[in-house]
Structures are given as C-alpha cells and as structure tokens.
Amino acid sequence: MASADLKQELDCSICLSTYTDPVMLRCGHNFCRVCIDNVLDTQDRSGGYFCPECRAEFQDRPVLHRNITLRNIAETFRSIEPDQEKKTTGIFCTYCIHSPVPAVKSCLHCEASLCDDHLRVHSKSPVHVLTEPTTSMEKRKCSVHRKILEYFCLVDATCICVSCRLDGKHRGHKVETLDVASEKKKQKLRTGLQKLITEREETEKRVRSLQERRRKVQEKSAGVTERVTALFRDLRRHLEDLEKRVLREISRQEERLSHQLSDLIQGLEIKDQLSRKMDHIEEMCNMTDPLTVLQESDTGDLCDTEEGDDEDRERRDTEEGDDEDRERHDELLHDGGDLDVAGLSHTLHSGLSDMMKGVNVCFNIQEASDIVLDVNTAHNILQISEDMKTVSMSDIKQNRPETPERFQTYNQVFSSRKFSSGRHYWEVDVSGSDWWVIGMCYPSIERRGVQSVIAYNNKSWGLYSDTNQCLVLHNSTMIQLPDNISSNRVRIYLDYEAGQLSFYDLCDPIRHLHTFTTTFTEPLHPALRVVKGHIKISGGSGWEK
C-alpha cells in the first residue's frame, strides 16, 4: 500500500497519471506542463486564471516553474514501478464494480483482471495462470482445445497447449516451455541487439571521424583561403612594384637615348656648312665676269687642293670631329641606339620568379620528414626537448660527452636531417627568444672557435635577430634588414639545385627578407643558435627530387 500511496502523491490531478515534466504554480500545486498549459489556454477565453486544485486566482497568466526534484522522483518511481502505469492502458479490475480500479494482473484461467486487493485473495493454484493485464485472453488459449498455451513447438515454431503436445498434431514434436523458449529467443535478441549496438557504435564512430574530418577540412579551407587571399594581395603589391620598376627603367632608357640623340642632332646642325657652300658655289657659277670669279676670296676653300699649315690643321680637326659624329651616329642607329629590351625582360623574369618562389613557399606538394634536432651536436649549455623540436638556454650544464660533432664554443645545434637535393622549407617559432640565429650549414663547419659561429664563415648562412636589429649573414658579411621580425615565425626556404636560400617573415602577408644565391657543394643541415630563452622548430616540408 505504501507504493500505492506514493503513486497517488505523484499523480497529476488533471490527467490522473504520474507527473510528466512537472511544473509548479505560485500557490504551490504541481501539474504536468502539458496539462496545465491546456487548462490555462482554456482560461484565456474566460478572462481569468485560477489553480485547478485550490482555485487560487491570478491576475495574469501564471508563470510556470519547473519542479526538478518532483520530476526526478516521478521518473525514478516510473522506472522501479512500471506496473503502476498500467492504468493508462484502460484495463481495470473485473471485480471492482462500483468504481474503476486499474488492474495489475490478469488470470487466464478465470479470464478476469485483478487489482491489488483482489489479487491478494485470488487462488494460488497452478491452474490459475497470472499474466500482465490484458483484454485479449483468447489469444493466450489454444484455439482447438481452449486450454492455456504452455509450450512452444520447435518443429512448427508455434505456441501449443498440453493437449496439442500429448494428443494433437504436435505429438512427438520437440517442445519447450514458454519460459525456456522465450528466454532462448530473448538471448538471440540480446545477441542481435548487441551486434546492432556494436554496429551503431562503429557507425557513430565513423560519423564522428567524418565530422572531425569535415571540421578539419573546413578549418584548413579557412586557413588556405586566408593564405591565398594574403598571397594574392602580396602578389598584386609585388606586381605593382614590378610594373613601376620596369616603367621607370623604360623611362630612364628613353630619356638617356633621347638626350644623346638630341646632342648629336644639335652638333650636326652647328657643324653643317654644306648648305652655305652650295649656295656660294651656285652664286659663282651664275657669274658672267671671269675676273670676279677668279678673284673671289673663298674659292680656295671650295676647290684648291693645296692649303697652308693652319688651314690644313683646321681641316683635319673638322674631319676628325665629323668622323666622331659619324661613329656616334652609327652607334645610336645600329649598336646602342635602342631600348635594352633584354634587360627589361630579365628584370620582369627575375621579379616574376621571386613571386613564384613565394607561391611555392606557401603551397607545398609533398610532405617531407619532420626536422628534429641532433642532440649529439648540441652545446652542453643547451637543453633539448624530448620531442627534439625545442632548444633553450639552460643554467645547468648538461654534461654530454665530448664528441667531434658537438659544438664546443657557441650555443648552437644542428638538425639530424640534411638536404643534398630538392626544394624544402622549415619554420621556426621564435616567440620564446629575442636573441637568436637560424640558418643552414655544411657538416664540415668547425665546432670550436670563431669559425664555428653560424654565418661567420663560408660554410654557413644565417638570419640574426636581437632586440635592436635584424641581419642576414654569410662569411662574416652582414646585410642590415630595414625592419625587425614582425611575427613569431620565420620560414627558411631552400632550392638546392638553384643554389638559393631564402628567409621569410610569416606575417600577413608573408614578407620576403632575403635570398642568398650560390652554388652548394655539400649537404646542408638546418642549424639554430639561441642566446636567450628558447626557439622551436614548428614545421618542415618540401619537394624531393
């Protein structure tokens, strides 16, 4: 009866069923949310609101507050007392004739349904078979013998009564009790259910992996979109700069050639006396007086073959000047009198090639092995992380054995990987230090003394940065860069066959810092030098030939 009393306390006074999502009014009474919403909807049309339980009135439609504690109690009761919910099926006790009382069991022998009270006084004889409350008792009896179904025929896969087994058409068949047959079927169902559960878990796992893949694709797409946008913005800027540079060069060449041609034209106009002489000769030819023709003072300049020393010298000077003018004339017309199209083409090709290198740096086709540090080359004051990616200054000497490969003088370390062909890049996170050198070295670099410092010899190239300046170095030659590193990441790009080693600041957009061009004669190791804090190799990839 305690269970029944509790059940009564957990019933909604509107639907008379156990609370579902109970809510509470200000007066303290609880109802199912759906039930009280329906009641309040009805009261909307009446112009007033009141509690169905105590008739407490509310000026406005009352706010419904969830009763979480009551909901938990109702759900717990429903899970441990499932029979109490049979009232909702509409099956009531056959013997409670004055008021409907929900049935808790049905007797197949009596063909009656029983409430708790009548069940206690019901016969306990084996003949009386009790089942869950049901109105279809005929289905539980044999249609031939009108007896209760007690067995399951394995041959015909059907439920039978005792007469079917002993005297009917199922005589001699292999049979099992309903409980045993039911348990076996349940076991098969459980096995099938477990298989389905496993399949569902595998499906959910695949779905999660696909969702994770989709998320990564979306993230990568966003990253690539951002990089492409930055790249094209950078390319447009470089194209504009290249266009301005080439147009300036065209204007410079045009101005130079125009100036030279103008000077030559002006000189020829000054020195040209042919027209004057032609006019004078024509005038003399038209004279009729012989004496006047012969006595003309300028006739010697026109037709005499013997002249004085001064006149001869002047003539030779004039002829030499004319020869020089002819040479300049021929040079401007044939050899050097045109725009340097080949030089302009080289400038364009070089500029476009630099832009393509930027594209190659941004988009790699094949992944190469990760670059890790070689602890056998690390100076003893350097600490190397377990993943061989981070190098940092340490206050404690590491006491590593002295080997020919180890740097003894300066805080430097090599990578274990070296490159002797192909195009590659690797990146360094420099956010943990404000004083460092990164670059590439031949394995034959010295390990002691000044000649062992990265970029201070002809066997290494490097990018140097501290709080005050940023430099690129090779063989002790320094080139001051206009700006310090503006991001936390630096990219080193190597094209071994082309003999090019480039450094990039991975800001937005990527900024090209410098490119060394040479002919590499040995394999190249990525190398790091840290003076303060720590730096970390954050990635590397490239094209292998």
Side-chain angles (χ1 to χ4, degrees):
M1 294 299 294
S3 176
D5 293 341
L6 177 60
K7 175 67 174 62
Q8 186 176 2
E9 292 297 324
L10 294 177
D11 283 347
C12 169
S13 61
I14 298 176
C15 67
L16 304 179
S17 299
T18 304
Y19 288 117
T20 301
D21 192 15
V23 293
M24 182 171 62
L25 298 178
R26 289 198 300 269
C27 60
H29 291 109
N30 296 280
F31 307 92
C32 299
R33 178 180 290 274
V34 174
C35 296
I36 190 62
D37 272 335
N38 292 334
V39 171
L40 294 176
D41 289 342
T42 303
Q43 294 176 0
D44 281 338
R45 296 186 289 271
S46 65
Y49 301 93
F50 55 87
C51 171
E53 187 85 12
C54 67
R55 313 299 289 179
E57 296 183 358
F58 308 103
Q59 183 176 359
D60 299 318
R61 181 166 178 146
V63 177
L64 304 179
H65 300 281
R66 295 184 67 187
N67 193 330
I68 298 176
T69 301
L70 183 59
R71 183 200 64 183
N72 294 338
I73 295 173
E75 290 181 354
T76 302
F77 180 81
R78 189 181 291 113
S79 64
I80 63 177
E81 294 287 344
D83 291 343
Q84 299 300 318
E85 295 299 307
K86 293 302 179 179
K87 180 177 64 173
T88 59
T89 64
I91 301 174
F92 300 97
C93 178
T94 305
Y95 303 107
C96 293
I97 59 175
H98 298 291
S99 62
V101 178
V104 294
K105 291 291 181 179
S106 292
C107 177
L108 299 181
H109 180 75
C110 301
E111 296 187 2
S113 297
L114 310 169
C115 65
D116 279 328
D117 293 336
H118 288 97
L119 179 63
R120 285 197 299 272
V121 298
H122 188 70
S123 174
K124 302 299 188 293
S125 170
V127 177
H128 295 268
V129 178
L130 298 176
T131 66
E132 299 300 320
T134 179
T135 57
S136 56
M137 298 183 187
E138 289 297 320
K139 293 181 180 179
R140 294 180 174 270
K141 291 185 177 182
C142 175
S143 60
V144 178
H145 303 100
R146 307 300 299 169
K147 293 184 177 181
I148 298 173
L149 300 174
E150 299 181 66
Y151 300 97
F152 181 77
C153 177
L154 299 178
V155 176
D156 297 323
T158 185
C159 296
I160 62 176
C161 67
V162 64
S163 296
C164 292
R165 177 187 180 185
L166 298 176
D167 303 321
K169 63 179 182 179
H170 299 280
R171 185 175 59 183
H173 291 181
K174 186 175 181 180
V175 299
E176 293 177 341
T177 63
L178 294 183
D179 290 341
V180 173
S182 174
E183 190 57 38
K184 288 184 177 180
K185 186 173 182 178
K186 288 181 180 179
Q187 187 59 40
K188 290 181 180 180
L189 292 174
R190 293 189 188 99
T191 302
L193 177 62
Q194 186 59 45
K195 183 178 180 181
L196 291 175
I197 292 174
T198 303
E199 291 180 358
R200 184 182 66 180
E201 291 176 350
E202 292 177 354
T203 302
E204 291 175 347
K205 183 177 180 181
R206 288 196 296 269
V207 169
R208 287 193 298 270
S209 64
L210 291 173
Q211 290 173 339
E212 178 65 17
R213 180 61 178 171
R214 181 179 62 184
R215 184 187 63 78
K216 290 182 178 179
V217 168
Q218 291 172 342
E219 290 179 354
K220 187 173 183 179
S221 175
V224 172
T225 299
E226 183 178 354
R227 284 162 49 198
V228 169
T229 302
L231 174 64
F232 274 91
R233 183 167 60 246
D234 197 33
L235 287 175
R236 283 191 290 270
R237 180 174 59 82
H238 283 300
L239 280 172
E240 291 174 358
D241 293 343
L242 181 60
E243 179 187 16
K244 292 177 182 178
R245 189 164 72 248
V246 173
L247 292 178
R248 283 197 301 268
E249 179 61 19
I250 293 174
S251 299
R252 187 189 67 79
Q253 292 188 24
E254 179 190 9
E255 183 179 358
R256 177 178 58 80
L257 289 172
S258 296
H259 183 71
Q260 292 177 355
L261 291 169
S262 297
D263 289 347
L264 183 58
I265 292 171
Q266 185 178 4
L268 290 174
E269 289 175 348
I270 294 174
K271 293 180 180 180
D272 186 11
Q273 301 178 2
L274 292 178
S275 297
R276 181 179 57 80
K277 289 182 179 182
M278 289 173 61
D279 292 341
H280 186 58
I281 291 173
E282 185 177 355
E283 182 182 352
M284 291 179 62
C285 289
N286 293 329
M287 289 182 181
T288 58
D289 184 8
L291 183 62
T292 302
V293 173
L294 295 174
Q295 291 179 342
E296 177 61 43
S297 59
D298 292 336
T299 57
D301 294 338
L302 302 175
C303 54
D304 289 349
T305 58
E306 295 182 1
E307 302 172 349
D309 291 340
D310 293 339
E311 294 175 348
D312 186 56
R313 186 180 302 109
E314 183 179 353
R315 179 182 58 79
R316 288 197 302 270
D317 291 343
T318 301
E319 290 177 351
E320 290 176 358
D322 291 341
D323 291 340
E324 291 178 359
D325 289 342
R326 288 192 203 90
E327 290 178 1
R328 292 180 62 195
H329 174 270
D330 292 341
E331 179 182 353
L332 290 174
L333 285 181
H334 303 290
D335 299 329
D338 202 355
L339 295 177
D340 184 11
V341 177
L344 295 174
S345 177
H346 176 75
T347 301
L348 281 170
H349 184 272
S350 177
L352 293 174
S353 177
D354 287 341
M355 282 187 278
M356 287 307 301
K357 289 173 187 174
V359 174
N360 289 338
V361 168
C362 288
F363 299 97
N364 301 282
I365 299 174
Q366 294 179 347
E367 292 287 331
S369 300
D370 285 341
I371 294 176
V372 295
L373 300 175
D374 184 2
V375 70
N376 293 323
T377 65
H379 189 277
N380 263 321
I381 205 172
L382 295 179
Q383 184 174 353
I384 308 299
S385 63
E386 291 184 1
D387 62 358
M388 300 297 178
K389 294 282 189 179
T390 303
V391 54
S392 56
M393 288 291 293
S394 174
D395 296 330
I396 303 174
K397 191 172 181 181
Q398 302 300 306
N399 293 322
R400 302 186 185 100
E402 184 174 340
T403 60
E405 295 82 15
R406 190 176 310 286
F407 286 103
Q408 303 292 335
T409 308
Y410 293 94
N411 312 329
Q412 301 177 164
V413 61
F414 268 177
S415 75
S416 58
R417 182 170 173 79
K418 59 184 177 182
F419 304 106
S420 57
S421 65
R423 290 175 290 175
H424 310 269
Y425 80 82
W426 54 291
E427 297 173 2
V428 179
D429 184 347
V430 297
S431 59
S433 175
D434 55 9
W435 193 351
W436 46 263
V437 181
I438 57 177
M440 304 199 83
C441 303
Y442 289 154
S444 61
I445 189 175
E446 297 292 333
R447 306 306 167 100
R448 294 177 179 271
V450 177
Q451 286 301 309
S452 66
V453 184
I454 298 173
Y456 281 80
N457 48 69
N458 61 359
K459 296 185 177 184
S460 58
W461 298 258
L463 173 67
Y464 171 94
S465 177
D466 60 26
T467 55
N468 300 318
Q469 60 184 341
C470 187
L471 312 167
V472 286
L473 307 95
H474 171 62
N475 203 18
S476 299
T477 300
M478 303 181 184
I479 300 176
Q480 178 82 42
L481 297 180
D483 299 306
N484 283 350
I485 304 299
S486 59
S487 70
N488 291 329
R489 288 162 65 90
V490 176
R491 179 175 294 172
I492 301 89
Y493 174 82
L494 169 67
D495 189 335
Y496 192 92
E497 282 73 17
Q500 293 184 333
L501 178 63
S502 303
F503 296 88
Y504 294 85
D505 181 8
L506 297 186
C507 52
D508 184 15
I510 295 176
R511 182 166 63 100
H512 173 251
L513 299 175
H514 185 76
T515 296
F516 292 106
T517 302
T518 185
T519 299
F520 299 121
T521 58
E522 294 181 38
L524 287 166
H525 283 275
L528 307 175
R529 179 186 175 197
V530 59
V531 184
K532 285 185 178 181
H534 67 274
I535 55 179
K536 178 181 180 181
I537 295 175
S538 56
S541 56
W543 301 269
E544 293 286 347
K545 291 188 176 179

